[in-house]
Amino acid sequence: MIGLVHQDPPVIGSARGRMDRDLAHLSDEGLLSLIAGSDEEALAELYDRFGGVAYGLALRILREDALAQDAVQEAFLAVWRTADRFLAERARASTWVLTIVHRRAVDLVRREELRRGEPLETAPEAAAAESVEETAELGFQRRVVQEALRRLPPEQRQALELGYYGGLTQSELAERLDAPLGTIKSRMFTGLARLRELLAQAGLKESFTN
């Protein structure tokens, strides 16, 4: 059987501000399906979702910024070329993508050691496989929480984001938003209750709401 021949995309970068269509509603698996058909916007959306997590994983292995960036770039090119080989029944898309990142980072370690003629200081390899799984799971959980937050009413979402991510107390929120303290407490209580429901529906039991 003759497979698809992919040409490399001109640039792998963020999709924000340049996409003609909204792909945010698609699952990671749905994006990989589009990428298998040479959809550059789908690749850019996937990069938006996993680029930061992928860089963090590569940096933990390589310990050098430039090499970590190279590993991520090579990994997403590999995703572009091999997306048609992804099988959803075998692995979650996030795990598949980050496993490729891990492999590229390890390849770069070996390449640099040969080039420099000496061992490259890297993170312990023993925890590498577990690190990929944990990183994939954290990335998945983060996106589930972000999607749930987007479904809250704006005033509830704003209060929760400023309170949990911004580190503001309820009194500071009341001052920042020019609203009564009782109103802020009500927004956060109602928002948290709804957020727990949304996360439970998505199968995420543990979160920052606990």
Side-chain angles (χ1 to χ4, degrees), residues 109-121:
V109 168
R110 295 165 180 161
R111 189 188 312 168
E112 284 299 302
E113 287 178 344
L114 287 174
R115 186 180 68 83
R116 300 179 186 186
E118 60 184 17
L120 186 68
E121 181 182 355

Side-chain angles (χ1 to χ4, degrees), residues 43-60:
L43 180 67
E45 174 66 25
L46 193 75
Y47 182 85
D48 275 346
R49 295 184 187 184
F50 293 106
V53 178
Y55 171 76
L57 173 60
L59 187 61
R60 286 204 301 274

